[in-house]
Amino acid sequence: MLNCVTNPHANLNAQLHDNGILELILNRPERKNAFFGDFYLALAKSLHEADQSSAVRVVLLRGEQDFCAGNDLQDFIDNPPKNTEAPAFVVLRAAANFSKPLVIAIKGVAIGIGSTLLLHADLVYTDAKARFQLPFLTLGLVPEGASTLLLPQRAGYLKAAEMLLLGEPFNAQSALSAGLVNHIVEDADVYEYAFAKASRLTQLPIASLKMSKQLLRGHTPQVLQQINAEGELFIERAHSAALHEAVAAFKEKRAPNFRQFED
């Protein structure tokens, strides 16, 4: 299972504290903790093991410096998802299925899956300077992570449509208003603040926590179905000409021309 300090992947550090908090730290700061295949799978494996370990009561997920800049773009181009067993979808299902409290702390950027993961957490804290974005359509893709189901429930249809369809960056206050985060931490370090909240959870009966979370998230089967439904369309779009135009435009520092494509 889990030792007191593990290192399941070069880019994922894990520390199990004496009080039962498993702190998972995304550690690829030079790439703003952008995910790639094995990095995704290491996080999914850690969440699965944490769920099974009697030593873990709460998981606290954070980044080293930034939280997460989404999928590594070059890796995405080199290894586009072929089916819904692709690593990104494995992580999303692992987060959606996680039965214990999941706390996330954010600094820097939370882009793409760095934002959709928040929809599967139970407590989310951010500092005031963090920046968020759901840029799927600007890359010729579709949203993922059951965000087309969960974000309208949190933010209302119009706000969710604005965030998902336009794909524009938004700040911590907008994330708070949309129900992506619980609180903006301005008078303390957000990592310390989140750890303190996680510590309070460890003092509660684990059975009560798990039962209460199950009651709160009674629609988990629907969420998993939506992750897979979005995933099928995401895979289709990942092989589209629009994606390659978006990537070319990014590299050439120009606006993409999607109007040349009928799809």
Side-chain angles (χ1 to χ4, degrees):
M1 278 302 181
L2 292 161
N3 298 319
C4 287
V5 179
T6 66
N7 187 18
H9 188 273
N11 299 120
L12 180 65
N13 293 334
Q15 182 172 359
L16 181 57
H17 296 271
D18 291 341
N19 60 1
I21 296 174
L22 177 66
E23 193 170 9
L24 296 176
I25 304 172
L26 308 179
N27 189 26
R28 199 187 180 204
E30 72 281 2
R31 299 287 293 175
K32 296 185 183 297
N33 296 320
F35 280 115
F36 57 91
D38 288 345
F39 192 3
Y40 278 122
L41 295 178
L43 178 57
K45 181 175 184 288
S46 292
L47 288 173
H48 176 73
E49 290 186 350
D51 223 7
Q52 301 300 312
S53 173
S54 60
V56 177
R57 301 178 74 84
V58 178
V59 165
L60 171 59
L61 177 63
R62 67 173 179 87
E64 184 64 42
Q65 298 178 28
D66 292 273
F67 179 58
C68 176
N71 203 110
D72 185 287
L73 188 57
Q74 191 58 55
D75 179 73
F76 185 77
I77 296 302
D78 294 341
N79 303 287
K82 296 180 175 62
N83 53 53
T84 55
E85 294 306 312
F89 304 127
V90 172
V91 163
L92 290 165
R93 288 194 297 269
N97 275 319
F98 192 65
S99 69
K100 299 174 182 178
L102 174 61
V103 181
I104 293 181
I106 302 164
K107 291 182 182 179
V109 300
I111 298 173
I113 196 169
S115 280
T116 55
L117 269 175
L118 308 183
L119 293 166
H120 303 286
D122 303 295
L123 297 173
V124 183
Y125 302 104
T126 182
D127 69 9
K129 296 180 180 179
R131 292 294 179 266
F132 306 77
Q133 190 176 11
L134 296 158
F136 302 106
L137 273 71
T138 65
L139 292 170
L141 300 168
V142 297
E144 42 92 309
S147 55
T148 56
L149 171 69
L150 297 173
L151 191 56
Q153 292 175 353
R154 304 263 186 105
Y157 176 82
L158 290 178
K159 189 63 178 178
E162 180 181 54
M163 289 177 159
L164 290 170
L165 299 184
L166 293 176
E168 296 173 339
F170 54 97
N171 61 19
Q173 186 59 54
S174 293
L176 180 65
S177 298
L180 279 171
V181 304
N182 293 83
H183 182 62
I184 300 171
V185 180
E186 300 188 72
D187 55 355
D189 180 82
V190 67
Y191 295 159
E192 294 177 0
Y193 186 95
F195 191 90
K197 292 294 185 181
S199 296
R200 291 188 63 181
L201 292 174
T202 67
Q203 299 170 26
L204 300 171
I206 187 65
S208 295
L209 285 169
K210 293 174 70 173
M211 289 176 187
S212 298
K213 176 168 178 172
Q214 185 178 20
L215 290 168
L216 282 164
R217 293 179 172 267
H219 60 322
T220 297
Q222 185 183 5
V223 171
L224 295 172
Q225 182 180 11
Q226 192 77 353
I227 289 173
N228 288 336
E230 291 172 350
E232 294 287 353
L233 297 175
F234 189 97
I235 291 162
E236 178 183 327
R237 298 303 300 163
H239 295 83
S240 69
L243 172 67
H244 291 286
E245 165 62 11
V247 173
F250 176 78
K251 291 180 177 178
E252 296 166 13
K253 298 181 180 181
R254 60 174 174 82
N257 177 17
F258 294 131
R259 297 185 66 179
Q260 61 184 303
F261 308 116
E262 293 185 359
D263 64 345

